[in-house]
Amino acid sequence: MTPGTQGPRRVPLNRDRVLGAAVALADEVGIAGLSMRRLAQQLGVVPMALYKHVADKDELLDGMVDLVIGEFDAPDPALAWQDGVRQRLLSARRAVLRHPWARPAIESRTRRTPAVLAYMDSVAGVFRGGGFSVDLTHHVMHALGNRIWGFSPELFDEQRDADATTAAPEAQQAMVTEFAQRYPHILEIAVAATQGDLSGVGQGCDEQFEFEFALDLLLDGAGRLHARGWTSAQRNSLPAG
C-alpha cells in the first residue's frame, strides 16, 4: 500500500448486520446448520464479537423471527375485518414460506418480543375494529392458533423419504384391501385426495389450499358467532341454526 492510500473500509459490526447475516445464513443452511461460530465466519469476525450484539443463540433467533415479522404486510384499514385478517395471515404465510427455517424458530420461541406482541395486537385489533367483543376476539385468536403466523398444524408430522420408490401394483392393491377392511374412511379420503392414484399417498396435500380453506372456515364461523352476539358464557347453550 502506498503512502496516503487506504484499504477498503471495514463495515462496523452491529445488531442489524448480525441479524441480517443470520437470516441469510439460515435461508441457505437451515436452522440446524446455524451456529454462532458459523455466523461469525460468515461475517469475518471471531465468535466472541457476536456476543456484544446478541447475548446467546436464543436472543439471535428472537431477533431473526422479528425480522421475518417485519416482512409481514401492514394492515389495510380500508378492508372489512374478514378481508383484513385474511390479508395479514396470508402475508405472514408468504414470509414464512420465503424463510423455511422460520416455522421451527417461531414454534421454539418462549419469549414474546415487542415485535411479536405488536403483530398479535394488530391482528386482534382487526377483529376489535370489526366490532368483535374482547371475549370473542380472545377465543377466535385461540382457534386460529399458529395460523396467525402463517402455518397450519399437520395431521401427520412425518419425514418424507425423497428416495422412496413407488410400490408395485400388487403391493398397492394389497394395501388398498387392508385399508378397506381396517380403515375404510381413511381410504375414502386418500382416494379422493389423490384422484384414485394411491401411489401419491404420503406425498402430502396442497398446503396452501388447506391453509386457506381452514382460515376461511374459521373466519366464517367467527363471523356467524359475532352476528349472534355470542359470549363465552353461552358456550353450553348455542342457539340452533
Side-chain angles (χ1 to χ4, degrees), residues 14-205:
N14 56 39
R15 182 179 173 85
D16 288 343
R17 187 172 169 226
V18 169
L19 294 178
V23 167
L25 181 58
D27 286 346
E28 179 183 348
V29 303
I31 206 71
L34 176 67
S35 68
M36 300 296 274
R37 181 175 297 278
R38 192 165 185 176
L39 177 59
Q41 291 174 343
Q42 192 85 352
L43 288 164
V45 299
V46 297
M48 286 305 298
L50 301 179
Y51 293 99
K52 297 178 181 178
H53 307 285
V54 289
D56 50 31
K57 189 174 180 181
D58 272 339
E59 187 175 314
L60 177 71
L61 290 171
D62 285 342
M64 292 166 63
V65 167
D66 286 353
L67 285 186
V68 174
I69 292 172
E71 296 181 15
F72 298 177
D73 291 342
D76 183 348
L79 294 176
W81 72 265
Q82 190 161 346
D83 290 334
V85 173
R86 199 174 193 278
Q87 176 214 44
R88 295 239 71 194
L89 272 55
L90 290 178
S91 170
R93 179 165 179 79
R94 288 192 295 272
V96 168
L97 291 176
R98 283 194 296 270
H99 306 285
W101 55 267
R103 173 174 181 162
I106 290 170
E107 290 180 314
S108 71
R109 297 301 82 211
T110 58
R111 291 183 285 199
R112 293 182 177 89
T113 65
V116 168
L117 291 171
Y119 173 64
M120 294 178 68
D121 185 77
S122 73
V123 174
V126 178
F127 287 110
R128 295 288 289 131
F132 278 52
S133 68
V134 174
D135 182 36
L136 182 55
T137 299
H138 168 208
H139 295 292
V140 172
M141 293 282 283
H142 271 292
L144 288 169
N146 280 343
R147 289 183 181 87
I148 289 173
W149 304 105
F151 51 87
S152 302
E154 298 293 342
L155 280 175
F156 299 101
D157 188 12
E158 58 183 353
Q159 296 295 320
R160 298 186 179 94
D161 187 354
D163 298 324
T165 57
T166 302
E170 298 81 7
Q172 288 187 41
Q173 185 57 51
M175 180 187 70
V176 169
T177 301
E178 179 181 2
F179 263 67
Q181 294 172 350
R182 301 179 62 183
Y183 317 113
H185 304 303
I186 297 297
L187 177 61
E188 288 177 334
I189 293 171
V191 169
T194 62
Q195 287 79 50
D197 180 11
L198 293 179
S199 64
V201 172
Q203 296 180 12
C205 298

Side-chain angles (χ1 to χ4, degrees), residues 193-239:
T194 62
Q195 287 79 50
D197 180 11
L198 293 179
S199 64
V201 172
Q203 296 180 12
C205 298
D206 182 338
E207 292 184 6
Q208 184 66 28
F209 177 87
E210 300 300 344
F211 181 88
E212 294 190 39
F213 173 80
L215 176 58
D216 289 340
L217 193 68
L218 286 164
L219 295 180
D220 286 348
R224 288 195 296 273
L225 291 179
H226 172 50
R228 293 174 178 174
W230 181 90
T231 70
S232 58
Q234 302 168 352
R235 60 185 179 271
N236 294 324
S237 58
L238 281 175

